[in-house]
Amino acid sequence: GAGVSQSPSNKVTEKGKDVELRCDPISGHTALYWYRQRLGQGLEFLIYFQGNSAPDKSGLPSDRFSAERTGESVSTLTIQRTQQEDSAVYLCASSLSWGGTYEQYFGPGTRLTVT
Amino acid sequence: RKEVEQDPGPFNVPEGATVAFNCTYSNSASQSFFWYRQDCRKEPKLLMSVYSSGNEDGRFTAQLNRASQYISLLIRDSKLSDSATYLCVVNGGAGGTSYGKLTFGQGTILTVHP
């Protein structure tokens, strides 16, 4: 079956512009996660959704970052007024449910470059 | 102190070698533990879950020591295809909003050479 998909795969934007990243989870997966991975670094948790609600937004780096999920399906991560330090690969993952025992399946990521 | 700490390596080993990776975590309430594998410029994929009694999957053995808050991964008879970054992953603990959150270590780089 189809895995997690993300779009765009690459995004180059100018500093100060807004960007929107999209994630399509595996069908039937109720939990969805966003991570950020800077070059040569580990994964940094941003936010997760159980259904359409986000119980834990503690990882969002600043108020320029926001995320939403609709219909227990697609999620979008929006970064407003992008800065060069936002350059990273943004990874989305989904799992069958939100409990920490469930395997997370990752999408291929969106590589964001802010110039 | 980082929530999940790993030796970043890199580990460079010949084919056929046995190599062990270690990981420590700070949240004593954590309940679930995993090893993920990430190939260069690819997304992470689950390698194996880690159970209290220890578990084995072919050439891979994972162990958990809750008292020491320590997790290990042993790879026997290393193959060239084992070259990757190995990520130690821990969940946020029982109950509350942190339960669904997984914390990833920085990863340990393994290179297996002929």
Side-chain angles (χ1 to χ4, degrees), chain A residues 28-49:
Chain A
H29 280 194
T30 60
L32 185 147
Y33 307 79
W34 282 100
Y35 297 89
R36 177 169 71 178
Q37 188 170 32
R38 291 195 169 107
L39 187 64
Q41 303 293 313
L43 272 71
E44 177 186 1
F45 168 80
L46 297 179
I47 188 171
Y48 85 87
F49 290 89

PDB file of all heavy atoms in Angstrom, chain A residues 28-49:
ATOM      1  N   GLY A  28      -5.794   5.475   7.387  1.00  0.00           N
ATOM      2  CA  GLY A  28      -6.184   4.766   8.608  1.00  0.00           C
ATOM      3  C   GLY A  28      -5.295   5.057   9.799  1.00  0.00           C
ATOM      4  O   GLY A  28      -5.623   4.678  10.928  1.00  0.00           O
ATOM      5  N   HIS A  29      -4.177   5.725   9.571  1.00  0.00           N
ATOM      6  CA  HIS A  29      -3.306   6.090  10.696  1.00  0.00           C
ATOM      7  C   HIS A  29      -3.869   7.340  11.365  1.00  0.00           C
ATOM      8  O   HIS A  29      -4.013   8.387  10.738  1.00  0.00           O
ATOM      9  CB  HIS A  29      -1.881   6.344  10.208  1.00  0.00           C
ATOM     10  CG  HIS A  29      -1.094   5.101   9.988  1.00  0.00           C
ATOM     11  ND1 HIS A  29       0.277   5.102   9.830  1.00  0.00           N
ATOM     12  CD2 HIS A  29      -1.477   3.803   9.920  1.00  0.00           C
ATOM     13  CE1 HIS A  29       0.694   3.853   9.689  1.00  0.00           C
ATOM     14  NE2 HIS A  29      -0.347   3.048   9.727  1.00  0.00           N
ATOM     15  N   THR A  30      -4.134   7.214  12.675  1.00  0.00           N
ATOM     16  CA  THR A  30      -4.747   8.349  13.364  1.00  0.00           C
ATOM     17  C   THR A  30      -3.715   9.327  13.923  1.00  0.00           C
ATOM     18  O   THR A  30      -4.032  10.470  14.200  1.00  0.00           O
ATOM     19  CB  THR A  30      -5.650   7.864  14.509  1.00  0.00           C
ATOM     20  OG1 THR A  30      -4.856   7.117  15.445  1.00  0.00           O
ATOM     21  CG2 THR A  30      -6.769   6.965  13.989  1.00  0.00           C
ATOM     22  N   ALA A  31      -2.494   8.861  14.113  1.00  0.00           N
ATOM     23  CA  ALA A  31      -1.467   9.743  14.684  1.00  0.00           C
ATOM     24  C   ALA A  31      -0.518  10.227  13.583  1.00  0.00           C
ATOM     25  O   ALA A  31      -0.151   9.468  12.689  1.00  0.00           O
ATOM     26  CB  ALA A  31      -0.676   9.016  15.759  1.00  0.00           C
ATOM     27  N   LEU A  32      -0.149  11.488  13.688  1.00  0.00           N
ATOM     28  CA  LEU A  32       0.729  12.095  12.682  1.00  0.00           C
ATOM     29  C   LEU A  32       1.739  12.976  13.400  1.00  0.00           C
ATOM     30  O   LEU A  32       1.388  13.675  14.356  1.00  0.00           O
ATOM     31  CB  LEU A  32      -0.111  12.914  11.692  1.00  0.00           C
ATOM     32  CG  LEU A  32       0.611  13.536  10.503  1.00  0.00           C
ATOM     33  CD1 LEU A  32      -0.317  13.580   9.282  1.00  0.00           C
ATOM     34  CD2 LEU A  32       1.156  14.899  10.807  1.00  0.00           C
ATOM     35  N   TYR A  33       2.970  12.944  12.951  1.00  0.00           N
ATOM     36  CA  TYR A  33       4.070  13.623  13.640  1.00  0.00           C
ATOM     37  C   TYR A  33       4.865  14.458  12.639  1.00  0.00           C
ATOM     38  O   TYR A  33       5.057  14.053  11.499  1.00  0.00           O
ATOM     39  CB  TYR A  33       5.023  12.603  14.269  1.00  0.00           C
ATOM     40  CG  TYR A  33       4.355  11.586  15.159  1.00  0.00           C
ATOM     41  CD1 TYR A  33       3.683  10.493  14.620  1.00  0.00           C
ATOM     42  CD2 TYR A  33       4.411  11.701  16.542  1.00  0.00           C
ATOM     43  CE1 TYR A  33       3.072   9.550  15.429  1.00  0.00           C
ATOM     44  CE2 TYR A  33       3.810  10.761  17.366  1.00  0.00           C
ATOM     45  CZ  TYR A  33       3.135   9.692  16.795  1.00  0.00           C
ATOM     46  OH  TYR A  33       2.537   8.769  17.610  1.00  0.00           O
ATOM     47  N   TRP A  34       5.369  15.581  13.127  1.00  0.00           N
ATOM     48  CA  TRP A  34       6.308  16.391  12.342  1.00  0.00           C
ATOM     49  C   TRP A  34       7.634  16.488  13.103  1.00  0.00           C
ATOM     50  O   TRP A  34       7.651  16.732  14.325  1.00  0.00           O
ATOM     51  CB  TRP A  34       5.757  17.802  12.129  1.00  0.00           C
ATOM     52  CG  TRP A  34       4.706  17.930  11.076  1.00  0.00           C
ATOM     53  CD1 TRP A  34       3.350  18.003  11.267  1.00  0.00           C
ATOM     54  CD2 TRP A  34       4.918  18.037   9.663  1.00  0.00           C
ATOM     55  NE1 TRP A  34       2.707  18.132  10.060  1.00  0.00           N
ATOM     56  CE2 TRP A  34       3.647  18.156   9.066  1.00  0.00           C
ATOM     57  CE3 TRP A  34       6.044  18.051   8.849  1.00  0.00           C
ATOM     58  CZ2 TRP A  34       3.474  18.287   7.679  1.00  0.00           C
ATOM     59  CZ3 TRP A  34       5.872  18.179   7.473  1.00  0.00           C
ATOM     60  CH2 TRP A  34       4.607  18.298   6.910  1.00  0.00           C
ATOM     61  N   TYR A  35       8.722  16.325  12.359  1.00  0.00           N
ATOM     62  CA  TYR A  35      10.065  16.459  12.900  1.00  0.00           C
ATOM     63  C   TYR A  35      10.874  17.368  11.980  1.00  0.00           C
ATOM     64  O   TYR A  35      10.564  17.527  10.798  1.00  0.00           O
ATOM     65  CB  TYR A  35      10.779  15.099  12.963  1.00  0.00           C
ATOM     66  CG  TYR A  35      10.150  14.077  13.861  1.00  0.00           C
ATOM     67  CD1 TYR A  35       9.173  13.214  13.378  1.00  0.00           C
ATOM     68  CD2 TYR A  35      10.541  13.948  15.188  1.00  0.00           C
ATOM     69  CE1 TYR A  35       8.596  12.247  14.203  1.00  0.00           C
ATOM     70  CE2 TYR A  35       9.976  12.986  16.015  1.00  0.00           C
ATOM     71  CZ  TYR A  35       9.004  12.142  15.514  1.00  0.00           C
ATOM     72  OH  TYR A  35       8.442  11.197  16.336  1.00  0.00           O
ATOM     73  N   ARG A  36      11.945  17.892  12.529  1.00  0.00           N
ATOM     74  CA  ARG A  36      12.890  18.671  11.733  1.00  0.00           C
ATOM     75  C   ARG A  36      14.272  18.037  11.908  1.00  0.00           C
ATOM     76  O   ARG A  36      14.638  17.623  13.022  1.00  0.00           O
ATOM     77  CB  ARG A  36      12.914  20.126  12.221  1.00  0.00           C
ATOM     78  CG  ARG A  36      13.907  21.002  11.512  1.00  0.00           C
ATOM     79  CD  ARG A  36      13.707  22.457  11.844  1.00  0.00           C
ATOM     80  NE  ARG A  36      14.081  22.828  13.190  1.00  0.00           N
ATOM     81  CZ  ARG A  36      14.020  24.077  13.653  1.00  0.00           C
ATOM     82  NH1 ARG A  36      13.586  25.052  12.866  1.00  0.00           N
ATOM     83  NH2 ARG A  36      14.388  24.348  14.886  1.00  0.00           N
ATOM     84  N   GLN A  37      15.030  17.970  10.815  1.00  0.00           N
ATOM     85  CA  GLN A  37      16.374  17.413  10.888  1.00  0.00           C
ATOM     86  C   GLN A  37      17.316  18.352  10.151  1.00  0.00           C
ATOM     87  O   GLN A  37      17.275  18.452   8.918  1.00  0.00           O
ATOM     88  CB  GLN A  37      16.439  15.998  10.298  1.00  0.00           C
ATOM     89  CG  GLN A  37      17.781  15.314  10.526  1.00  0.00           C
ATOM     90  CD  GLN A  37      17.776  13.850  10.172  1.00  0.00           C
ATOM     91  OE1 GLN A  37      17.067  13.410   9.261  1.00  0.00           O
ATOM     92  NE2 GLN A  37      18.567  13.052  10.888  1.00  0.00           N
ATOM     93  N   ARG A  38      18.137  19.041  10.919  1.00  0.00           N
ATOM     94  CA  ARG A  38      19.151  19.899  10.319  1.00  0.00           C
ATOM     95  C   ARG A  38      20.302  19.021   9.843  1.00  0.00           C
ATOM     96  O   ARG A  38      20.495  17.901  10.326  1.00  0.00           O
ATOM     97  CB  ARG A  38      19.625  20.933  11.318  1.00  0.00           C
ATOM     98  CG  ARG A  38      18.568  21.973  11.657  1.00  0.00           C
ATOM     99  CD  ARG A  38      19.201  23.154  12.341  1.00  0.00           C
ATOM    100  NE  ARG A  38      18.288  24.279  12.445  1.00  0.00           N
ATOM    101  CZ  ARG A  38      17.726  24.637  13.583  1.00  0.00           C
ATOM    102  NH1 ARG A  38      17.954  23.976  14.680  1.00  0.00           N
ATOM    103  NH2 ARG A  38      16.935  25.700  13.615  1.00  0.00           N
ATOM    104  N   LEU A  39      21.091  19.553   8.928  1.00  0.00           N
ATOM    105  CA  LEU A  39      22.179  18.799   8.312  1.00  0.00           C
ATOM    106  C   LEU A  39      23.110  18.245   9.384  1.00  0.00           C
ATOM    107  O   LEU A  39      23.618  18.994  10.226  1.00  0.00           O
ATOM    108  CB  LEU A  39      22.952  19.709   7.352  1.00  0.00           C
ATOM    109  CG  LEU A  39      24.012  19.030   6.495  1.00  0.00           C
ATOM    110  CD1 LEU A  39      23.365  18.023   5.553  1.00  0.00           C
ATOM    111  CD2 LEU A  39      24.812  20.055   5.700  1.00  0.00           C
ATOM    112  N   GLY A  40      23.309  16.933   9.367  1.00  0.00           N
ATOM    113  CA  GLY A  40      24.219  16.289  10.305  1.00  0.00           C
ATOM    114  C   GLY A  40      23.715  16.186  11.728  1.00  0.00           C
ATOM    115  O   GLY A  40      24.470  15.803  12.626  1.00  0.00           O
ATOM    116  N   GLN A  41      22.448  16.516  11.917  1.00  0.00           N
ATOM    117  CA  GLN A  41      21.876  16.497  13.264  1.00  0.00           C
ATOM    118  C   GLN A  41      20.823  15.387  13.395  1.00  0.00           C
ATOM    119  O   GLN A  41      20.416  14.780  12.417  1.00  0.00           O
ATOM    120  CB  GLN A  41      21.217  17.850  13.577  1.00  0.00           C
ATOM    121  CG  GLN A  41      22.154  19.039  13.462  1.00  0.00           C
ATOM    122  CD  GLN A  41      23.231  19.017  14.508  1.00  0.00           C
ATOM    123  OE1 GLN A  41      22.967  18.807  15.697  1.00  0.00           O
ATOM    124  NE2 GLN A  41      24.470  19.219  14.089  1.00  0.00           N
ATOM    125  N   GLY A  42      20.376  15.189  14.631  1.00  0.00           N
ATOM    126  CA  GLY A  42      19.318  14.224  14.871  1.00  0.00           C
ATOM    127  C   GLY A  42      17.955  14.805  14.584  1.00  0.00           C
ATOM    128  O   GLY A  42      17.821  15.951  14.158  1.00  0.00           O
ATOM    129  N   LEU A  43      16.919  14.008  14.817  1.00  0.00           N
ATOM    130  CA  LEU A  43      15.551  14.464  14.595  1.00  0.00           C
ATOM    131  C   LEU A  43      15.078  15.291  15.773  1.00  0.00           C
ATOM    132  O   LEU A  43      15.239  14.917  16.926  1.00  0.00           O
ATOM    133  CB  LEU A  43      14.602  13.273  14.428  1.00  0.00           C
ATOM    134  CG  LEU A  43      14.436  12.734  13.022  1.00  0.00           C
ATOM    135  CD1 LEU A  43      15.687  12.022  12.571  1.00  0.00           C
ATOM    136  CD2 LEU A  43      13.234  11.815  12.949  1.00  0.00           C
ATOM    137  N   GLU A  44      14.460  16.395  15.460  1.00  0.00           N
ATOM    138  CA  GLU A  44      13.924  17.309  16.463  1.00  0.00           C
ATOM    139  C   GLU A  44      12.398  17.267  16.370  1.00  0.00           C
ATOM    140  O   GLU A  44      11.825  17.607  15.348  1.00  0.00           O
ATOM    141  CB  GLU A  44      14.450  18.717  16.163  1.00  0.00           C
ATOM    142  CG  GLU A  44      13.948  19.804  17.066  1.00  0.00           C
ATOM    143  CD  GLU A  44      14.414  21.172  16.595  1.00  0.00           C
ATOM    144  OE1 GLU A  44      15.109  21.265  15.555  1.00  0.00           O
ATOM    145  OE2 GLU A  44      14.061  22.155  17.249  1.00  0.00           O
ATOM    146  N   PHE A  45      11.739  16.835  17.453  1.00  0.00           N
ATOM    147  CA  PHE A  45      10.280  16.742  17.467  1.00  0.00           C
ATOM    148  C   PHE A  45       9.669  18.143  17.393  1.00  0.00           C
ATOM    149  O   PHE A  45      10.101  19.061  18.092  1.00  0.00           O
ATOM    150  CB  PHE A  45       9.831  16.050  18.752  1.00  0.00           C
ATOM    151  CG  PHE A  45       8.361  16.132  19.027  1.00  0.00           C
ATOM    152  CD1 PHE A  45       7.476  15.279  18.391  1.00  0.00           C
ATOM    153  CD2 PHE A  45       7.856  17.071  19.914  1.00  0.00           C
ATOM    154  CE1 PHE A  45       6.112  15.349  18.647  1.00  0.00           C
ATOM    155  CE2 PHE A  45       6.494  17.150  20.177  1.00  0.00           C
ATOM    156  CZ  PHE A  45       5.628  16.289  19.538  1.00  0.00           C
ATOM    157  N   LEU A  46       8.659  18.295  16.542  1.00  0.00           N
ATOM    158  CA  LEU A  46       7.968  19.576  16.431  1.00  0.00           C
ATOM    159  C   LEU A  46       6.569  19.506  17.046  1.00  0.00           C
ATOM    160  O   LEU A  46       6.222  20.281  17.931  1.00  0.00           O
ATOM    161  CB  LEU A  46       7.874  19.999  14.967  1.00  0.00           C
ATOM    162  CG  LEU A  46       9.205  20.248  14.248  1.00  0.00           C
ATOM    163  CD1 LEU A  46       8.956  20.633  12.785  1.00  0.00           C
ATOM    164  CD2 LEU A  46      10.028  21.315  14.947  1.00  0.00           C
ATOM    165  N   ILE A  47       5.750  18.567  16.545  1.00  0.00           N
ATOM    166  CA  ILE A  47       4.355  18.519  16.963  1.00  0.00           C
ATOM    167  C   ILE A  47       3.776  17.168  16.572  1.00  0.00           C
ATOM    168  O   ILE A  47       4.270  16.526  15.644  1.00  0.00           O
ATOM    169  CB  ILE A  47       3.553  19.661  16.288  1.00  0.00           C
ATOM    170  CG1 ILE A  47       2.120  19.773  16.859  1.00  0.00           C
ATOM    171  CG2 ILE A  47       3.522  19.498  14.778  1.00  0.00           C
ATOM    172  CD1 ILE A  47       1.380  21.018  16.391  1.00  0.00           C
ATOM    173  N   TYR A  48       2.750  16.710  17.306  1.00  0.00           N
ATOM    174  CA  TYR A  48       2.044  15.530  16.840  1.00  0.00           C
ATOM    175  C   TYR A  48       0.538  15.734  16.944  1.00  0.00           C
ATOM    176  O   TYR A  48       0.064  16.550  17.742  1.00  0.00           O
ATOM    177  CB  TYR A  48       2.510  14.259  17.552  1.00  0.00           C
ATOM    178  CG  TYR A  48       1.864  13.923  18.882  1.00  0.00           C
ATOM    179  CD1 TYR A  48       0.684  13.193  18.942  1.00  0.00           C
ATOM    180  CD2 TYR A  48       2.487  14.278  20.073  1.00  0.00           C
ATOM    181  CE1 TYR A  48       0.124  12.854  20.155  1.00  0.00           C
ATOM    182  CE2 TYR A  48       1.932  13.943  21.292  1.00  0.00           C
ATOM    183  CZ  TYR A  48       0.750  13.225  21.339  1.00  0.00           C
ATOM    184  OH  TYR A  48       0.196  12.885  22.536  1.00  0.00           O
ATOM    185  N   PHE A  49      -0.175  15.000  16.124  1.00  0.00           N
ATOM    186  CA  PHE A  49      -1.632  15.039  16.082  1.00  0.00           C
ATOM    187  C   PHE A  49      -2.184  13.665  16.434  1.00  0.00           C
ATOM    188  O   PHE A  49      -1.704  12.653  15.949  1.00  0.00           O
ATOM    189  CB  PHE A  49      -2.140  15.408  14.684  1.00  0.00           C
ATOM    190  CG  PHE A  49      -1.877  16.834  14.307  1.00  0.00           C
ATOM    191  CD1 PHE A  49      -0.687  17.198  13.687  1.00  0.00           C
ATOM    192  CD2 PHE A  49      -2.821  17.816  14.568  1.00  0.00           C
ATOM    193  CE1 PHE A  49      -0.445  18.511  13.343  1.00  0.00           C
ATOM    194  CE2 PHE A  49      -2.584  19.143  14.221  1.00  0.00           C
ATOM    195  CZ  PHE A  49      -1.393  19.483  13.615  1.00  0.00           C
TER     196      PHE A  49
END
